[in-house]
Amino acid sequence: MARKFFGTDGIRGRTNTGVMTAEIAMRVGQAAGRHFMRGDHRHRVVIGKDTRLSGYMMESALVAGFTSVGMDVIMTGPLPTPAIALLTREMRADMGVMISASHNLYEDNGIKLFGPDGFKLSDADELAIEEAIMQDQELAPAAKVGRARRIDDAQGRYIHAVKQAVSDKTRFDGLKVVVDCANGAAYQVAPSAIWELGAEVIALGVSPNGTNINDGVGSTSLDALKAKVLEEGAAIGIALDGDADRLIVVDEKGQTVDGDQLMALIATRMHEKGELRGGGLVATVMSNLGLERYMEAQGLKLERAKVGDRYVLEKMREGGFNVGGEQSGHMIMLDYATTGDGTTAALRVLASLVRSGKKASELMHLFDPVPQLLKNVRFDGGKPLDDATVKSVIAEAEQELEGTGRLVIRPSGTEPVIRVMAEGDDAAQVEQIVDRICDAVRAAA
């Protein structure tokens, strides 16, 4: 069925319009609360958020929804998405909620839901909640209305947890690290965790004001981080996004190290220590062909999933993998977290840097990416990918790239856009193919 509320990563939209209003948030709380009320025990939900202005409004509305159906609420304040997943499990909650629009600017917001196991919801759970959102839910009698409270030690709990991802003998003494927190959810915990392990930390994006999240800082805006790394002569730069489930690295030369290179590094080091499960790692269809070739050269495999960290996670659990992620920076290490965790991944990368004695630029360039080009084509309606001419052009392109590259064409899950990506050994050929397909899609749209 077509979904009205849930997209590829929870519910997301422009604040005070469409699905992202206080009324809808309250209904989500009521519907989700009822869905996870199983058994006679006192039910509870953990709610966290990032730093965007509308977080206060959405938090209050969700609290009203959950408490009105009899569920107790624990509020943590600003914390990374993986911290909420962790606390949901650790506090034996029935579910968790993260209020965030991830890497989007402050005008947007979103609602991510976790089950009692700390994992994002299944399609079946989302569909059930989706159907219930616009229905009136049974309200709790006056004596059984839920209670709400804030906890003060959530940050400390998370910092302690992420430090378990590295050996208790690991120290970062003498390592100068620039940490860009995107003025987002990790603005306190990420610099603290890295500093506690001995590094000299220069912090960026740690002055949230409600409207500056992801604005010129963070994993999608690297210029400020690159400049600061070069200015400070730092060994490495760490960039998180607004809810800190992504990691992108900048080496000491100011060069970007994307999620593909980071996955290769983490998987390789774990394989060397006998800790890698599943015989490889899981990435998405957007990860570079160079990563796939690198993994094959190591005697490891690369499994591909649909775009979206939840689909990566599903394939990881199905195949027994413990490492996966996305080129965009989602890093999932199931030994330590149930969702992408940029801070945990950063600690693993820093530990590898310290142990190797190499510079970041030497350690983190494990393969040469093949030329890859992605373009977006916006359309007003209909299904341009069903057009006969578009299908013909795509088929011709696939034949041209056979054996030397890949073609990935997909509609966006969040906006009326067709994403056209091609990669291959010949950059000029890749560009011609992408342009040809884009032209055909535009003509059909």
Side-chain angles (χ1 to χ4, degrees):
M1 61 176 284
R3 296 189 179 203
K4 180 179 179 182
F5 298 100
F6 285 92
T8 55
D9 192 15
I11 304 171
R12 189 178 300 183
R14 183 59 56 100
T15 299
N16 273 344
T17 63
V19 300
M20 203 45 53
T21 65
E23 178 187 2
I24 295 297
M26 186 181 72
R27 287 182 171 274
V28 169
Q30 291 174 330
R34 276 293 173 199
H35 181 73
F36 280 98
M37 278 185 148
R38 301 162 184 173
D40 297 327
H41 63 280
R42 192 71 191 173
H43 294 80
R44 61 169 56 166
V45 54
V46 176
I47 300 181
K49 61 182 179 178
D50 64 22
T51 58
R52 62 194 74 222
L53 180 63
S54 57
Y56 295 98
M57 176 184 78
M58 302 305 288
E59 179 186 59
S60 298
L62 283 162
V63 169
F66 283 115
T67 54
S68 72
V69 296
M71 187 171 270
D72 291 341
V73 176
I74 298 168
M75 294 173 285
T76 70
L79 270 186
T81 289
I84 302 309
L86 168 76
L87 290 170
T88 299
R89 294 196 324 274
E90 294 297 315
M91 302 189 76
R92 310 298 191 269
D94 297 276
M95 64 175 301
V97 181
M98 179 65 183
I99 305 167
S100 175
S102 189
H103 59 281
N104 292 21
L105 295 177
Y106 85 94
E107 293 93 344
D108 294 343
N109 215 331
I111 301 171
K112 302 180 183 183
L113 303 178
F114 296 93
D117 57 1
F119 287 98
K120 291 181 179 178
L121 302 191
S122 66
D123 286 338
D125 281 327
E126 285 190 351
L127 285 171
I129 294 170
E130 173 109 8
E131 291 179 1
I133 287 174
M134 296 313 295
Q135 300 172 5
D136 290 335
Q137 299 298 311
E138 180 183 353
L139 301 181
K144 294 188 177 181
V145 167
R147 300 174 183 271
R149 59 174 291 191
R150 293 191 180 274
I151 57 172
D152 299 324
D153 63 344
Q155 291 183 5
R157 292 188 189 207
Y158 177 66
I159 290 171
H160 175 75
V162 295
K163 286 162 58 181
Q164 307 312 302
V166 297
S167 164
D168 57 6
K169 297 177 182 178
T170 298
R171 292 194 60 85
F172 300 153
D173 298 278
L175 196 67
K176 184 182 285 191
V177 184
V178 182
V179 183
D180 182 350
C181 298
N183 290 318
Y187 78 100
Q188 292 178 308
V189 293
S192 295
I194 295 170
W195 174 82
E196 286 184 16
L197 290 172
E200 177 185 349
V201 175
I202 296 102
L204 288 179
V206 291
S207 301
N209 62 14
T211 62
N212 62 359
I213 187 170
N214 301 311
D215 187 6
V217 287
S219 62
T220 54
S221 301
L222 296 172
D223 287 349
L225 177 60
K226 290 179 178 181
K228 182 60 77 171
V229 166
L230 294 175
E231 175 191 332
E232 295 284 347
I236 192 171
I238 299 296
L240 306 173
D241 67 335
D243 68 334
D245 62 356
R246 296 190 191 196
L247 168 69
I248 297 292
V249 165
V250 170
D251 68 24
E252 84 284 356
K253 296 180 180 179
Q255 299 171 332
T256 301
V257 183
D258 68 10
D260 285 348
Q261 296 282 1
L262 296 175
M263 280 188 284
L265 174 65
I266 291 170
T268 299
R269 296 294 173 265
M270 292 182 69
H271 178 58
E272 290 171 352
K273 294 189 289 184
E275 298 175 351
L276 188 68
R277 298 198 304 274
L281 61 83
V282 178
T284 74
V285 294
M286 303 304 289
S287 277
N288 195 274
L289 183 59
L291 173 61
E292 186 173 333
R293 291 173 176 172
Y294 169 80
M295 295 296 289
E296 289 173 353
Q298 309 306 308
L300 301 170
K301 60 185 176 182
L302 175 70
E303 292 282 342
R304 292 187 184 270
K306 292 190 296 184
V307 172
D309 62 321
R310 62 175 293 193
Y311 300 114
V312 172
L313 185 55
E314 285 175 5
K315 185 148 290 206
M316 289 174 67
R317 298 178 77 183
E318 289 169 4
F321 296 88
N322 58 346
V323 176
E326 295 190 275
Q327 187 183 66
S328 61
H330 282 119
M331 294 289 125
I332 306 173
M333 291 176 288
L334 279 181
D335 294 344
Y336 308 107
T338 55
T339 187
D341 191 333
T343 307
T344 296
L347 294 185
R348 292 294 296 227
V349 168
L350 293 173
S352 293
L353 186 63
V354 169
R355 282 195 298 269
S356 72
K358 296 179 179 180
K359 293 183 177 179
S361 59
E362 299 168 343
L363 178 69
M364 298 180 193
H365 186 85
L366 285 92
F367 64 88
D368 292 326
V370 305
Q372 186 183 80
L373 181 63
L374 169 67
K375 290 189 177 181
N376 298 323
V377 182
R378 189 168 293 275
F379 63 98
D380 294 329
K383 297 181 177 180
L385 294 183
D386 291 343
D387 181 81
T389 301
V390 172
K391 288 183 177 180
S392 175
V393 172
I394 292 172
E396 291 174 4
E398 288 175 335
Q399 191 170 8
E400 282 185 51
L401 287 172
E402 188 173 1
T404 63
R406 294 190 312 125
L407 185 64
V408 179
I409 301 167
R410 64 181 185 89
S412 166
T414 58
E415 54 185 334
V417 164
I418 303 295
R419 307 198 192 282
V420 180
M421 189 277 280
E423 61 181 356
D425 296 322
D426 186 334
Q429 180 190 38
V430 166
E431 184 172 8
Q432 291 171 1
I433 285 173
V434 169
D435 287 342
R436 204 157 66 231
I437 295 172
C438 287
D439 289 342
V441 171
R442 287 190 195 95

